[in-house]
Amino acid sequence: MSYSASDYLPAKAPTVTLDDVRGAQKMLSGVAKVTALQHSHHLSQLVGTPVHLKCENLQRTGSFKLRGAYVRIAGLLPEERAAGVVAASAGNHAQGVALASSLLGVRSTVFMPVGAPLPKVAATRDYGAEVRLHGQVVDETLAAAQEYAERTGAVFIHPFDHPDIVAGQGTLGLEILEQCPEVRTIVVGVGGGGLAAGIAVAVKALRPDVRVIGVQAAGAAAYPPSLTAGHPVAIPAPATMADGIKVGRPGDVPFTLVRDLVDDVRTVSEDALSSALLLCLERAKLVVEPAGASPVAALLSEPESFEGPVVALLSGGNVDPLLMQRVLTHGMAAAGRYLSLRLRLTDRPGALATLLGVLSVADANVLDVSHVRTDPRLGLTEAEVELHLETKGPAHCAEVGAALREAGYTVIG
C-alpha cells in the first residue's frame, strides 16, 4: 500500500510525542547501538565553545536509518508482517529496512536505482533484502516500489514521512541529552526532515532551552521555501553530492514538527561539505558521508553563530570509495590544499627543470605537469605549462605564487 500523509495527521494534534520517542527507545534497546559522543578539540577551538560529535556513522548499517525502520516495521500488525515490506532507497534507508526486517523475521524487497553504488547494493542484499534495480533516479525507484506495494499488498516503508519513523529517529535526541546534559545547541542534517523532527520532539519536550539547528545542502534545500510558504514545497532538480539529504520535498509529517520546533534551518555549499568530510577524516579519524558531515559544514561556515556546548550529529558513514576519492580531492581544493595554474616559459633546454626547482624551494608538491610546445597560441620560442600542486593551505598557495613571480614567471590562469 502507498502511504498518504492524511492517514496520519489528526487535526490539531501532534503527530509524534515524547512518549512515542521513549517507547521507540525501549523498542530499540539491544537493537540499535548507543553510539559514542566524541569531543572535537579542533572544532571547539574554531567555534570558541566545546563541540562534540555524535557518531551515528558508527551505528549498525552505518547510519541512523535502522532506528526508524525497526520501529516502523515492529509496529506492523501480524497480517501486515505476513505480507512483507517494500522500500525504495539509494543506500542508507535500504540497509536499515533490510536489517530491521531480518531481525523481525519479515520479508523485505528493496528497490534501488540502477546506478546505486555497488557496495550499498551488496550490503542491502547481505542484510537479507531482495534487491531490485529499477530507474535512473530515486523518484523512478520510488514509483516502482509504490506500484509493487499496491500490486502485492506489501507495506511501503517510507524513509521519513511516518510518525513511527520520526519517533525512532528521535531516540537520538534522548541519547544526546543523556550523554551531554549541558548541551546548548544540536546541529543535524535535514533531507525529508524525519531525523530533525524526531530529535526536536524529544529535546524540546525535555529541554526547551536547547537550540536545534537543521542543515541542508544549498543545491537541495526544500525547507527554506517550504517554511516561508507554510507548507511543503517541491523544488526542481535538487543537486548535491550529499545524497543522504538530497530530497526535493519535505515530508508532510516531519514538516509541521520542523516548522514548530526546529529553531533554524541553514544551508551549506558543496565546498563546505567536502571540507567537512575531509576534516572528519583527518582530525577525528572518522569516515563520514557528505550528508553526515553537513552539521560540521555548518560549523565551518559560520563558527561564531553557535552557542555551546554544541553537538553535531554525524548521521551516516556509508560513502562509496569512488565518491570518497572525488570528494576528498574536492575538499582539499576547497581548503586550499591543491593549486592549479598555467604559465608560459621560454622554450629552451632546462626551462621546465628550472621551474620545478622554484616549486621545490617553495615546498610545493607537484602532482601533475602538462607541457605544451606546439599550439597556435604560442610564439615560436614559447611553451605553456599547466601544473597541479599539493600545498599546505591558502597561505602556502600565496607563498608559491609570490615565489613564481619573484622568479620572473607570469601566471596566466
Side-chain angles (χ1 to χ4, degrees), residues 51 89 116 165 191 203 226-227 249 281 286 313-314 360 372:
V51 175
S89 167
I165 297 287
V203 169
S226 297
L227 292 170
R249 182 187 184 278
L281 187 63
L286 293 169
L313 175 60
L314 308 181
S360 177
V372 179

Side-chain angles (χ1 to χ4, degrees), residues 327-341:
V327 170
L328 288 180
T329 300
H330 184 82
M332 291 183 73
R337 299 275 296 279
Y338 283 143
L339 176 62
S340 297
L341 47 84

Side-chain angles (χ1 to χ4, degrees), residues 334-397:
R337 299 275 296 279
Y338 283 143
L339 176 62
S340 297
L341 47 84
R342 287 186 302 117
L343 43 82
R344 287 185 181 174
L345 310 174
T346 300
D347 187 14
R348 57 177 174 76
L352 180 59
T354 301
L355 170 62
L356 296 179
V358 173
L359 295 172
S360 177
V361 171
D363 203 22
N365 185 30
V366 179
L367 300 175
D368 186 51
V369 178
S370 175
H371 188 206
V372 179
R373 302 175 65 191
T374 55
D375 189 296
R377 297 173 301 163
L378 299 175
L380 183 63
T381 60
E382 288 183 321
E384 186 172 285
V385 176
E386 182 174 350
L387 296 161
H388 299 280
L389 310 174
E390 182 183 0
T391 63
K392 300 173 183 177
H396 189 209
C397 288

